[in-house]
Amino acid sequence: MAEQIIKKKEFNCKFIQLRDLEPSELKWNLLNRFYNELMIPNFPDGDELDPIDVWIEMFSPNNSLYRTTILQITLAFEKNDENLELILGGAVNEYYPRSQCGLISYIVVNQKIRGSNIGTILADQSFIVLNSFAQFFHSIPKCRVIFAETNSPDLVSPEQDVMAPRIRCKVLHKMGFSLVNFNYIQPPLSENQSAAYNLLLIALKTNEICQFDPIQSKYYILNNHLRWFLEEFWDSVDYPTEGKDWESQIEQLKTPKIYISSLLDVVNDQQSLTTSNNKAKL
């Protein structure tokens, strides 16, 4: 039987922040439901999906990961859904205290309600969540940079993804993201996974985060902010900051300014943004 599609463009939402729930049957049930019902179907490439065991550790106050990487998972429900029957979508956000940067790891929308406003709502919630961590832990108004990742339209075909990567780039552009002009490698997320070479690194473009170079007529982020984030991200997955992959990242940080560009440029011409080195590894 075909899955029922809910034809509704706008939802009046309530949110549950899983980190804020006390350890309980409700918390672990919601986490498992979110992972099995939304994450696995929407992320078919296993190397891009965090193991749920890692999330459980990051939500456990007695585990060191609870304090070294601040994980928050936001689940959206319709306001009148008292029994929390349908997870409309969820956002997985990580705040990195050393670099004072945020990472929107995943924004996922229930396939039953694609085309609704849930993705935009969850993105706005992610910005609020990550900036609130910056305020709480460091008394600064916002994260130094808010990053995210997305599949490269040049390296991932529409058939390999639940949403065509070019379409996703258009959606992320509308949310305020720009491409970081950086040949990005995601380290293995666990010892049983491989590094990902088919992702683009993107950043939220705001006047507080991005600076303008009047000579180049381009916006940029500081190389130190990106380096500090990468070092902390790689440490968080217990992957050594050494070897060929890491050196290829550091080599690109010799310039003090890391320029960003429109994701619409990616949609129109992605070939120039990928290297032969990356293509060979795929």
Side-chain angles (χ1 to χ4, degrees):
M1 181 181 295
E3 216 173 31
Q4 182 183 2
I5 304 298
I6 301 173
K7 295 182 179 180
K8 186 174 179 179
K9 291 294 183 182
E10 295 189 4
F11 288 84
N12 189 11
C13 295
K14 62 182 177 184
F15 304 99
I16 290 182
Q17 309 289 358
L18 289 186
R19 183 184 180 88
D20 301 345
L21 293 180
E22 293 293 328
S24 63
E25 183 177 350
L26 172 64
K27 180 172 185 169
W28 305 128
N29 178 262
L30 286 174
L31 180 63
N32 276 283
R33 282 181 54 200
F34 172 61
Y35 196 85
N36 293 320
E37 296 173 16
L38 274 72
M39 293 300 300
I40 291 176
N42 280 282
F43 292 92
D45 185 345
D47 287 331
E48 296 176 11
L49 185 58
D50 286 334
I52 191 172
D53 291 345
V54 172
W55 288 356
I56 292 173
E57 290 177 356
M58 295 172 77
F59 276 148
S60 301
N62 294 330
N63 193 292
S64 61
L65 284 174
Y66 183 80
R67 287 169 290 279
T68 55
T69 304
I70 313 302
L71 173 70
Q72 182 63 280
I73 297 179
T74 303
L75 301 183
F77 296 87
E78 198 156 17
K79 214 154 201 176
N80 60 4
D81 184 358
E82 295 181 2
N83 297 320
L84 308 179
E85 294 180 357
L86 179 66
I87 302 176
L88 300 176
V92 181
N93 299 298
E94 298 172 17
Y95 179 71
Y96 290 87
R98 292 195 334 243
S99 62
Q100 299 173 17
C101 290
L103 175 67
I104 302 178
S105 298
Y106 309 95
I107 291 180
V108 57
V109 176
N110 195 312
Q111 294 182 12
K112 295 179 181 179
I113 58 167
R114 282 281 164 79
S116 68
N117 63 334
I118 296 301
T120 300
I121 289 173
L122 285 168
D124 290 341
Q125 281 292 309
S126 295
F127 305 151
I128 292 170
V129 164
L130 290 170
N131 287 328
S132 71
F133 285 141
Q135 294 160 15
F136 180 80
F137 288 101
H138 296 103
S139 300
I140 56 176
K142 293 187 176 183
C143 297
R144 279 178 168 160
V145 187
I146 293 178
F147 294 104
E149 305 159 327
T150 190
N151 281 334
S152 162
D154 192 44
L155 301 175
V156 179
S157 70
E159 294 75 25
Q160 292 174 300
D161 204 343
V162 295
M163 177 187 291
R166 293 185 190 278
I167 294 176
R168 183 179 283 113
C169 283
K170 291 181 181 179
V171 172
L172 291 165
H173 168 76
K174 291 180 180 178
M175 290 179 180
F177 284 98
S178 293
L179 173 70
V180 179
N181 288 222
F182 183 82
N183 193 18
Y184 176 67
I185 299 172
Q186 183 196 70
L189 301 178
S190 74
E191 61 182 13
N192 299 318
Q193 294 173 281
S194 302
Y197 302 93
N198 57 356
L199 296 174
L200 302 176
L201 185 66
I202 61 178
L204 183 65
K205 180 184 173 185
T206 67
N207 290 334
E208 295 88 355
I209 290 175
C210 301
Q211 302 181 48
F212 185 71
D213 182 340
I215 297 176
Q216 296 292 330
S217 294
K218 294 179 180 179
Y219 284 90
Y220 66 91
I221 59 176
L222 296 174
N223 64 345
N224 279 343
H225 291 173
L226 179 53
R227 177 172 184 144
W228 295 335
F229 164 73
L230 290 173
E231 288 175 343
E232 193 170 4
F233 182 31
W234 284 52
D235 284 349
S236 74
V237 295
D238 201 24
Y239 198 69
T241 50
E242 58 186 31
K244 185 178 179 180
D245 283 350
W246 178 252
E247 289 170 5
S248 76
Q249 305 285 272
I250 297 305
E251 182 68 23
Q252 301 172 73
L253 296 173
K254 290 183 176 179
T255 174
K257 300 175 182 178
I258 307 298
Y259 290 102
I260 65 173
S261 57
S262 172
L263 277 169
L264 295 183
D265 295 340
V266 178
V267 173
N268 296 327
D269 182 15
Q270 174 62 19
Q271 289 287 340
S272 62
L273 299 173
T274 56
T275 66
S276 58
N277 179 54
N278 263 9
K279 290 180 180 177
K281 292 196 175 187
L282 292 172

